[in-house]
Amino acid sequence: MAKTAWGIELGTSSVKAVKLSGDRGGVALEDVAIIPLSDFGLGAGSSAQDATAGALNELRSSKGIKKGDEVFVSISGQNTLGRIISLPPVAKERVRETIENEARSQIPIKLEEAVWDFQIIDEEDPDELRVNLYAAKKDVVDQIVDTCDMAGLQITGIQVAPLGIYNFIKYEMDDAVSDACVAIDIGADNTDVVIIDGQKTYVRVVPVAGNDITKALRARFKLSADDAENLKRRAHKSKDAAAVFEAMKPPLKDMVGEIYRAVGFYKSQNEDANINQLVMMGNGSKLLNIKKFFEQQLQYQVHKVDTPVRVSLARSVDPTEVQNNIQSLTVAIGLALQGLGLDEVNTINLIPPSYIESQALAKIRTPFFVAGGIAAAGGIIALLLAILSTGGVSTVIGDAESLKAAATARDQEVQSKQPPEEDALKAYSLRNLAEGVAGVFPAQKPKDDEEEGSGTPAIELTVRANEAPGMLTRATHEALAAYAAGNPRTRVYYANYKPQALSGGLLTTTASLLESVIEPSWVGAEENQGGHFAAKRVITFRVWIASELTSSIGQDQAHDALKKKLVDEGLLTNRLKEALLAEFKATGQLDGIDEKDLKKIDFSKNVSVIVNQISNLDYGSQKSELRIGDLIGTSGVLIQKAGRTPRPSRAANDTKFGVSEVAVTLTLTPVQEPKPAEAEEASE
């Protein structure tokens, strides 16, 4: 059993995470985090993927999640499909092959376009083999992997969210419930219905959920969306609690009907099933009188998730926080239980095989990036070229650890030797393909009590080229969110803008724009003969910010305030530097460097922030100030901040704005080229 594991539910409005530890047969809850996606721009211009990546990055950095930690993340039930399939008895080594043949007829998508996994159901029937089969489209799974990569989060598993519920119930609840029940997780947009019948599972995602209850209250009492949501959550304190619950009944009855249909369908396929208990979870399970209502409608014994019983609480967590949020943490806890490798949980894992292979290859690549690693580069490159030339990467993955040991031995062997020039040049080419320099730790002179020549050379600090754009956009959104949350003198919003360079293209208006320019070159030879590849990458993220103007704050004052905070006081610059430092630390590049010396790192050639004032003429407006229609092009629609509608003191369409362009640039320079032999001899 793994000692610790993280379970992370990737929700539509927040990221929920728990850390569990397992020892001596027990499990303890060590940490809890709930991070709203609105904090990272969801509802205010950021895409769901960018906001999720920002939340995951915050989780990783604040909780110290490292590469190599057990981390399971969720994929929503509506993006997966499950089947219980029966097979003839076959030898263990032929189970996957047999299931694959059967899956082609059971899964309505091409297997080549899917990621799938199975778990054998332990039943005493020698004439039949039954398995739980789950699959998801490859592009959906790849998006989850990409989001985690953007956040610098290395994961070990992807599990179906409803099966996280299965794991929670199997571990936390007694056999009388966990052997035969239906569980419902009432979310905002959907309700997950999970039927548990021994080890067999059936999942259905129904479209009736918390938002439908809010809409019913809004229609019945003529409320705004926010007020209806507050009434739903505080109905038990309302003077008209009975009337409130009556308004909630129609969507709740629809939900009951969906549960009836799901259980009825399952029983039609499994006649011996005896489902008569219901387990409720999710924030919707906190609603007024909901437990009693489901008991009356379904004639089931209903259980609500409460304080964990088998999972103990470590001293590091607040019991009140757990008590208040346990209904929405069940998926994350179930994922972490799987990460611990417990026997009674579901073992479905939809992580792509290609991702596992890339992580295994990363292990043998590690010595290539440490200080002095250029001596090992010849050996590593020769090793990689040998692997790639076989065309059998998958075969080699199983021996990754032994290959790493061989690479380490080779590194020690050639420490005192100059690697062959050709291999060294290939090493620089591959490094410049994969990464670039984002900062430099300057050379250090020997201290007074050290021998002459014992100082350290300059260290080039690198980031992977594919991670840089996500890092840049997250740092920018985080800094802007921090500025908006710091109570500036005037409200700020994302503004739609038509970039001049794209005015004739497909993109007409946008609130932000990511530009990436690569300047490739070949160093040390002509016509690509000899020498090595180098690349300079200039990545610029542009965001247009509208500042609300008042009688005392004009365009110039609003722009100057934004520029002062982001540039002069370094709010945005420092955010990006912090993100780069976190990446340098995570990849071991700062090992041996004191924390107090980190301020010596030179980012001057790599990080820049410019805030320009935008003329209203760029919007096609001849007025002295811009109005909301100039910014979003839709009369009467109020722009939002952090997913919430601001309440200006005057009509929205009369509010005036000034606009600034925030341009953040991260330049990745080539890894320093080796000196020509003649230059080295001259320097000696």
Side-chain angles (χ1 to χ4, degrees), residues 489-491 493 547-554 625-628 638 645-658:
R489 292 180 61 197
T490 180
R491 293 186 180 96
Y493 312 86
S547 298
E548 186 175 317
L549 306 181
T550 67
S551 58
S552 60
I553 301 176
E625 294 96 0
L626 297 167
R627 304 298 177 100
I628 190 170
L638 194 64
T645 302
R647 300 180 184 277
S649 57
R650 51 191 178 278
N653 288 337
D654 292 332
T655 305
K656 300 174 183 179
F657 297 91

Side-chain angles (χ1 to χ4, degrees), residues 441 447 585 593-601:
F441 186 75
K447 298 179 181 178
K585 289 180 180 179
I593 299 177
D594 292 338
E595 286 286 330
K596 62 182 180 181
D597 288 335
L598 296 183
K599 61 184 179 182
K600 297 178 182 178
I601 296 175

Side-chain angles (χ1 to χ4, degrees), residues 252-273:
L252 289 177
K253 287 183 177 180
D254 290 341
M255 194 180 298
V256 168
E258 294 288 352
I259 295 170
Y260 263 130
R261 281 186 282 275
V263 175
F265 175 80
Y266 181 80
K267 286 184 175 181
S268 71
Q269 306 294 313
N270 300 268
E271 296 179 357
D272 296 334

Side-chain angles (χ1 to χ4, degrees), residues 397-426:
I397 297 305
D399 299 322
E401 291 297 336
S402 62
L403 290 174
K404 179 181 176 182
T408 302
R410 175 61 177 158
D411 179 58
Q412 295 171 350
E413 179 184 341
V414 301
Q415 275 184 351
S416 61
K417 302 176 182 179
Q418 176 69 22
E421 183 180 359
E422 182 180 354
D423 282 351
L425 295 175
K426 289 177 181 176

